[in-house]
């Protein structure tokens, strides 16, 4: 094992992982433990950023542009400075010499256009909500009230809102260099040959609407200084990345900058960012020598938290008459918004490798054009490029099935990678290490009662029932565990994909884990404790986990992209293995035996074939005392490890959705939803279930409810929770969830990511169900969100002869036959399944 990386020389596997620390009967991995951190999180006893109170703290409020595009001709803050409680007021010009430009860490092409992005606008604003001035006062209300005294003169410029129009040469320019940020191409196989003389060619255009991440906790920042260094508290998911980027942006030396992410209430990618407010809070603290706090309101957050999705997908699929896919062509327009933020240009490209999904094909061609508009920039949102790709291919597979008169499950069977073919290198060049799509699908079909629902659907169509039944299928995979570093480097990503951990067995036998991951609701303290408990044979409650503070956990790459367990959790395991190696040498010395004769089990090191032994707690105390250590051994029982995997992880699954659609009103009701996911070895089933539930809810939100809407002048119309709809518990069905298990081969725990799976799989399942219900009316797509109005209009427009009531008339297209579902072609190996009894 490498001392630096904690990985084997060739495979990226942590060595020694086959040496269990605990007998199978008492193993923690796989146990459905409630989360140990919840006792403080759900009772309000946690420390979160807005709850921090520091002596002499001031409060910041920002004045934001009411225009989507304008030149700033004058900013006068003098009147604001005379308001009660106001300590200072600043314009962008006041910070121009020191604020730098907010970073973009993913220059995806050599000729990419990365415009300067000042944290506070100086000469021009390019989206509604961009900061143009600020007030610093003794409380947040005085600061907010004083904003009205600031005078700003604007010279309006034309807004740029439509991506297609933005690329026309005569279009108004967002930036002097133009509205095209980049063009990125990727291809595999001979796409022209795949489409040439193809019996079936299907062309579709899908709109991935703009979404607003809606984390439970709004963003908040507290900056302070002791006169020598600076500390920034932030509701961020990337304290380590943020520290580096803030040092580069502000010029504050990195070793004099500490970043702390206290307990953070959700993020979904929206806090994977270096924000204007973080930079400006540091600059204000540096100027005034006092701590300052900023906390956004919900409407302010809707304006200025980076948005997600916003893509126009033009998809072409070529296939044979038997349903086998020959090739896939993707032409993508991606709305960057007004600037390129931390990983903005890379987000649509993460999907580039997943448009082929779980399917085999001969050729694939992908082109993405990044487009500037006068809207809030987009960036990572749960799934980050992969939900968009999965939506496109799963919608297209349903379209292919309809074209050929095949059952949607059957057309997938004819194209997917079978369990016997793993590891499999796809047309996009990724090597899927393991999976069993047959097992997951068969279990899902059984749980849903698929054949029975198809029979009911046929009956409703025959009766011309105004309430039609649709069944949606989504068989997905994703690449997650954002790594390895060499691959990320080849894609011009500005950082690596490794993760770091330290494990310390304290003199009293308790264990302290320091992790470079930064949880914001994922349950790392619980899951990491379970891993350590098994690895070292110590009680679960004897393990504590420290995170989110760059002074305590100085090394890390943080939490996003479902990487925490598959990279960070494995780093924890690697550190445990180093601790055991050190303990084994000490035990051998104390027991006067060869280290090769020392066996480890249930927290004790024993001489093989004898009862002589030492517990890990006894060894920790001996290592602390250091009275009798082996020659060359250092005191203390602790170790650090860094893990950088050789491959991504590839969870997969089958999600099925049954929806009733009232064709008279357009109302849709999810009747049942089944999700069978394969996330490899499950460390904590309760945490996995929670992640799947939350992901499905967000995917349904995109399918049915959520959309950021702008008017013709670029004003965001969905600034409140009354306008931007997210699903409540009352809007969601009861989910039936279950799992199959194929171990990942890319890490010794055998785990795969789960944090984004539900959000990736659910959206196409729901939309496929709605379109399936409306097939008799000639409907082949409903633009998301599938609101009642859009569904009603889709029925009316697709079948002009259909009465407004939406009932299936005699002159309407004949109802689609419901093909009988053929039996599964292969028996499903038992090794791929978990015991019966899915959770609800």
């Amino acid at each position: 094992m490498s001392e630096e990386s904690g990985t084997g020389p060739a495979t990226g596997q942590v060595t020694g992982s086959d040496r269990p620390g605990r007998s199978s009967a008492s193993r923690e991995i796989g146990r459905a433990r409630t989360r140990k951190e919840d006792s403080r999180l759900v009772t309000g006893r946690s420390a979160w950023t807005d709850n921090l109170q520091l002596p002499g703290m001031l409060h910041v409020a920002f004045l934001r542009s009411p225009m989507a595009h304008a030149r700033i001709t004058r900013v006068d803050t003098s009147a604001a400075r005379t308001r009660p409680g106001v300590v200072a007021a600043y314009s962008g010009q006041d910070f121009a010499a020191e604020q730098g430009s907010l970073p973009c860490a993913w220059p995806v092409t050599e000729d990419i256009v990365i415009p300067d992005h000042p944290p506070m606008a100086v000469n021009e604003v390019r989206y509604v909500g961009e900061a143009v001035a600020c007030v610093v006062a003794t409380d947040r209300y005085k600061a907010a009230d004083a904003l009205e005294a600031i005078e700003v003169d604007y010279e309006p410029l034309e807004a740029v809102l439509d991506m297609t129009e933005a690329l026309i040469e005569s279009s108004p320019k967002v930036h002097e260099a133009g509205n095209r940020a980049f063009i990125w191409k990727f291809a595999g196989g001979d796409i022209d040959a795949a489409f040439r003389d193809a019996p079936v060619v299907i062309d579709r255009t899908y709109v991935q609407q703009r979404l607003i991440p809606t984390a439970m906790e709004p963003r908040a920042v507290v900056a302070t200084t002791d006169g020598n260094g600076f500390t920034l508290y932030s509701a961020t998911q990337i304290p380590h990345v943020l520290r580096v980027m803030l040092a580069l942006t502000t010029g504050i030396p990195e070793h004099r900058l500490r970043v702390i992410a206290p307990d953070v209430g959700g993020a979904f990618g929206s806090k994977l960012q270096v924000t204007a407010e973080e930079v400006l809070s540091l600059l204000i603290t540096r100027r005034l020598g006092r701590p300052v706090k900023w906390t956004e309101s919900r409407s302010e957050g809707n304006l200025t938290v980076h948005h997600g999705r916003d893509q126009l997908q033009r998809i072409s699929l070529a296939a044979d008459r038997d349903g086998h896919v020959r090739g896939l062509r993707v032409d993508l327009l991606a709305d960057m918004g007004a600037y390129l933020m931390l990983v903005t240009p890379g987000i649509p490209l993460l999907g580039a490798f997943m448009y082929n999904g779980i399917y085999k094909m001969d050729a694939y061609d992908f082109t993405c054009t990044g487009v500037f508009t006068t809207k809030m920039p987009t960036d990572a949102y749960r799934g980050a490029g992969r939900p968009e790709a999965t939506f496109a291919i799963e919608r297209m597979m349903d379209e292919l099935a309809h074209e050929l008169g095949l059952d949607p499950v059957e057309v997938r069977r004819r194209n997917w990678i079978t369990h016997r073919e793993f590891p499999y290198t796809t047309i996009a060049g990724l090597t899927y290490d393991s999976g069993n799509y047959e097992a997951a699908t068969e279990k899902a079909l059984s749980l849903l009662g698929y054949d029975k629902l198809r029979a009911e659907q046929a009956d409703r169509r025959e009766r011309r029932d105004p309430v039609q039944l649709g069944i949606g299928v989504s068989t997905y995979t994703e690449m997650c565990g954002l790594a390895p570093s060499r691959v990320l480097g080849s894609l011009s990503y500005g950082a690596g994909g490794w993760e770091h951990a330290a494990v310390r067995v304290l003199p009293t036998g308790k264990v302290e884990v320091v992790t470079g991951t930064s949880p914001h609701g994922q349950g790392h303290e619980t899951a990491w404790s379970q891993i350590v408990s098994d690895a070292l044979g110590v009680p679960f409650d004897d393990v504590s986990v420290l995170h989110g503070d760059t002074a305590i956990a100085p090394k890390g790459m943080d939490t996003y992209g479902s990487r925490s367990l598959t990279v960070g959790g494995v780093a924890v395991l690697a550190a445990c293995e180093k601790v055991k190696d050190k303990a084994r040498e000490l035990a051998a010395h104390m027991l006067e035996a060869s280290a090769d004769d020392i066996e480890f089990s249930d927290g004790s090191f024993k001489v093989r074939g004898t009862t002589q032994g030492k517990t890990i707690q006894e060894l920790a105390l001996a290592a602390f005392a250091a009275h009798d250590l082996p020659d060359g051994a250092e005191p203390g029982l602790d170790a650090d490890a860094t893990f950088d995997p050789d491959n991504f992880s590839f969870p997969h699954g089958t999600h099925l959705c049954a929806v009733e659609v009232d064709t008279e009103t357009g109302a849709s009701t999810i009747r049942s939803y089944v999700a069978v996911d394969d996330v490899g070895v499950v460390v904590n089933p309760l945490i996995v279930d929670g992640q799947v539930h939350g992901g499905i809810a967000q995917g349904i939100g995109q399918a049915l409810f959520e959309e950021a809407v702008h008017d013709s002048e670029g004003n965001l119309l969905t600034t409140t929770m009354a306008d931007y709809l997210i699903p409540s518990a009352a809007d969601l069905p009861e989910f039936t969830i279950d799992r199959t298990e194929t171990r990942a081969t890319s890490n010794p725990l055998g785990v795969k990511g789960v944090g984004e799976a539900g959000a990736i799989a659910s959206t196409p399942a729901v939309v496929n169900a709605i379109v399936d219900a409306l097939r008799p009316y000639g409907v082949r797509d409903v633009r998301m969100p599938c609101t009642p109005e859009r569904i009603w209009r889709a029925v009316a427009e697709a079948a002009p002869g259909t009465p407004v009531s939406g009932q299936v008339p005699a002159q309407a297209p004949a109802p689609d036959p419901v093909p009988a579902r053929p039996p599964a072609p292969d028996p499903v190996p038992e090794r791929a399944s978990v015991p019966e009894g899915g959770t609800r």
Side-chain angles (χ1 to χ4, degrees), residues 73-368:
T73 59
R74 185 178 72 96
V75 180
D76 186 349
T77 61
S78 58
R81 289 196 290 270
T82 67
R83 290 295 186 96
V86 172
V87 175
Y90 302 107
S91 68
Q93 194 64 51
D94 294 319
F95 293 117
E98 59 180 321
Q99 66 178 342
S101 178
L102 294 177
C104 173
W106 204 337
V108 296
T109 63
E110 291 185 0
D111 60 351
I112 187 172
V113 176
I114 303 180
D116 284 343
H117 185 183
M120 186 176 286
V122 178
N123 299 313
E124 192 169 323
V125 291
R126 292 180 171 89
Y127 63 91
V128 173
E130 189 167 4
V132 296
C134 69
V135 170
V136 186
T138 52
D139 68 52
R140 64 185 299 180
Y141 305 104
K142 291 175 181 175
D145 289 344
L147 293 178
E148 66 182 10
I150 299 176
E151 296 180 7
V152 184
D153 291 339
Y154 298 98
E155 179 185 320
L157 299 171
E158 194 169 347
V160 180
L161 303 172
D162 182 88
M163 286 188 283
T164 302
E165 293 180 1
L167 294 175
I168 299 173
E169 187 63 32
S170 59
S171 173
K173 299 294 187 286
V174 181
H175 298 281
E176 187 177 346
N179 297 336
R180 182 179 286 106
F182 64 86
I183 298 177
W184 192 88
K185 294 178 177 289
F186 178 78
D190 188 338
I191 194 68
D192 292 333
F195 275 80
R196 189 181 304 119
D197 301 324
V200 179
V201 174
I202 299 173
D203 299 303
R204 295 290 184 270
T205 298
Y206 300 123
V207 176
Q208 294 286 330
Q209 77 271 35
R210 178 172 283 243
L211 301 178
I212 301 175
T214 314
M216 182 180 294
E217 179 196 18
R219 292 180 300 149
V221 179
V222 172
T224 186
T225 180
D226 60 6
N228 182 48
F230 296 85
T231 299
L232 184 84
Y233 300 85
S234 180
T236 181
Q237 60 191 88
I238 53 165
H240 299 92
V241 174
L242 182 58
R243 182 190 187 208
V244 174
M245 291 301 179
L246 286 175
L248 293 172
T249 302
T250 66
I252 296 172
E254 186 180 355
H255 67 290
R256 293 184 178 174
L257 180 57
R258 178 185 185 185
V259 174
I260 300 173
D263 288 325
V264 177
F268 313 121
S270 69
K271 296 169 184 174
L272 198 178
Q273 197 54 264
V274 180
T275 68
E277 295 83 6
E278 288 163 332
V279 172
L280 293 169
S281 294
L282 270 178
L283 298 182
I284 293 168
T285 289
R286 182 162 67 179
R287 285 193 175 205
L288 300 179
R290 293 176 63 178
V292 300
K293 177 192 287 188
W294 170 78
T295 301
E296 73 181 3
S297 66
R298 181 61 68 183
S299 58
E300 189 177 24
N302 278 20
L303 278 172
T304 62
V305 168
H306 72 245
H307 294 171
R309 314 288 193 255
D310 206 346
Q311 297 178 8
L312 182 66
Q313 302 170 307
R314 293 179 286 222
I315 315 294
S316 297
L317 182 145
D320 293 323
R321 274 286 160 196
D322 62 3
H324 287 96
V325 175
R326 296 170 59 155
L328 184 71
R329 183 181 285 121
V330 177
D331 185 7
L332 187 67
L333 295 185
D335 193 335
M336 304 287 99
Y339 301 99
L340 302 184
M341 297 194 76
L342 189 63
V343 292
T344 299
I347 296 303
L349 308 189
L350 287 173
F353 303 96
M354 300 308 300
Y355 274 86
N356 53 287
I358 65 172
Y359 308 112
K360 297 176 285 188
M361 57 187 69
D362 300 325
Y364 170 56
D365 185 83
F366 175 91
T367 299
C368 176

Side-chain angles (χ1 to χ4, degrees), residues 579-595:
V579 166
K580 286 196 296 187
D581 289 342
K582 189 172 183 179
R584 179 176 285 103
E585 295 293 334
L586 179 56
H589 177 76
M590 295 175 68
L591 296 170
E592 299 181 343
S594 168

Side-chain angles (χ1 to χ4, degrees), residues 503-656:
V503 173
R504 302 190 285 254
V505 187
L506 303 176
T508 57
K510 311 304 181 185
V511 182
E512 213 168 53
V513 178
V514 180
T515 178
T517 62
S518 190
H520 38 279
Q522 290 87 351
H524 294 179
E525 294 177 31
T526 300
W528 282 206
S529 295
Q530 291 179 269
I531 293 170
V532 172
S533 178
D534 277 357
L536 298 183
V538 298
F540 170 83
D541 289 327
D542 284 359
V543 184
S544 65
V545 179
L546 307 177
H547 57 79
D549 184 338
T550 60
I552 294 173
K555 295 177 65 176
M557 290 304 298
D558 306 315
T559 292
Y560 43 85
S562 301
R563 68 184 302 275
S564 293
L565 178 60
T566 58
V567 189
V570 177
V572 171
L573 177 64
C576 287
E577 295 298 336
K578 288 185 175 183
V579 166
K580 286 196 296 187
D581 289 342
K582 189 172 183 179
R584 179 176 285 103
E585 295 293 334
L586 179 56
H589 177 76
M590 295 175 68
L591 296 170
E592 299 181 343
S594 168
D596 293 337
D597 292 330
I598 300 297
E599 296 178 327
F600 177 73
S601 181
D602 291 329
S604 294
F605 293 83
K606 294 181 180 179
V607 179
R608 184 180 292 111
T610 75
T611 59
Q612 291 180 285
K614 296 287 184 181
T615 66
I616 196 165
Q617 291 85 356
E618 290 173 322
L619 293 169
L621 182 59
F624 168 74
H627 294 164
D628 185 21
L629 298 179
D631 291 342
E634 296 181 354
L637 197 53
D638 54 75
D640 288 28
T642 301
F643 180 67
D644 195 347
D646 285 343
N647 199 0
F648 301 94
S649 79
F650 298 96
H652 70 83
T654 298
H655 287 218
L656 303 176

Side-chain angles (χ1 to χ4, degrees), residues 741-753:
E741 181 181 304
T742 53
R743 291 180 62 95
T745 63
S746 57
N747 66 77
L749 283 172
V751 296
K752 305 175 184 179

Side-chain angles (χ1 to χ4, degrees), residues 570-793:
V570 177
V572 171
L573 177 64
C576 287
E577 295 298 336
K578 288 185 175 183
V579 166
K580 286 196 296 187
D581 289 342
K582 189 172 183 179
R584 179 176 285 103
E585 295 293 334
L586 179 56
H589 177 76
M590 295 175 68
L591 296 170
E592 299 181 343
S594 168
D596 293 337
D597 292 330
I598 300 297
E599 296 178 327
F600 177 73
S601 181
D602 291 329
S604 294
F605 293 83
K606 294 181 180 179
V607 179
R608 184 180 292 111
T610 75
T611 59
Q612 291 180 285
K614 296 287 184 181
T615 66
I616 196 165
Q617 291 85 356
E618 290 173 322
L619 293 169
L621 182 59
F624 168 74
H627 294 164
D628 185 21
L629 298 179
D631 291 342
E634 296 181 354
L637 197 53
D638 54 75
D640 288 28
T642 301
F643 180 67
D644 195 347
D646 285 343
N647 199 0
F648 301 94
S649 79
F650 298 96
H652 70 83
T654 298
H655 287 218
L656 303 176
C657 181
V659 174
E660 291 182 337
V661 180
D662 188 331
T663 58
E664 295 179 335
T665 66
S668 62
T669 303
I670 298 178
R671 179 165 135 182
S672 55
Y673 193 101
V674 169
V676 177
D677 296 286
D678 189 327
V679 296
V681 173
V682 173
V683 173
N684 186 312
L686 279 180
I687 291 177
V688 169
D689 291 352
Q691 290 286 342
V692 172
H693 277 225
I696 293 172
Q698 281 185 283
I700 290 174
Q702 178 173 6
L704 299 181
F705 297 96
E706 300 183 43
E707 183 174 24
V709 179
H710 295 80
D711 68 14
S712 60
E713 295 181 347
N715 296 297
L716 182 68
L717 302 180
T718 49
T719 58
T720 72
M721 299 294 279
D723 307 306
Y724 186 82
L725 303 183
I726 62 172
S728 70
D731 298 311
L732 299 171
E734 186 174 15
F735 305 137
T736 300
I737 63 175
D738 208 333
R739 282 182 286 277
T740 56
E741 181 181 304
T742 53
R743 291 180 62 95
T745 63
S746 57
N747 66 77
L749 283 172
V751 296
K752 305 175 184 179
V754 69
E756 296 158 304
I760 290 170
S762 57
T763 306
V766 174
V767 177
N768 276 340
I770 290 172
V771 175
D772 185 54
L774 300 178
R775 290 286 186 191
Y777 297 84
V779 174
R780 68 183 192 186
D781 190 38
V782 179
R783 179 177 166 180
M784 297 186 291
C786 302
T787 62
E789 179 184 356
R790 283 182 176 170
I791 291 173
W792 182 85
R793 289 190 179 280

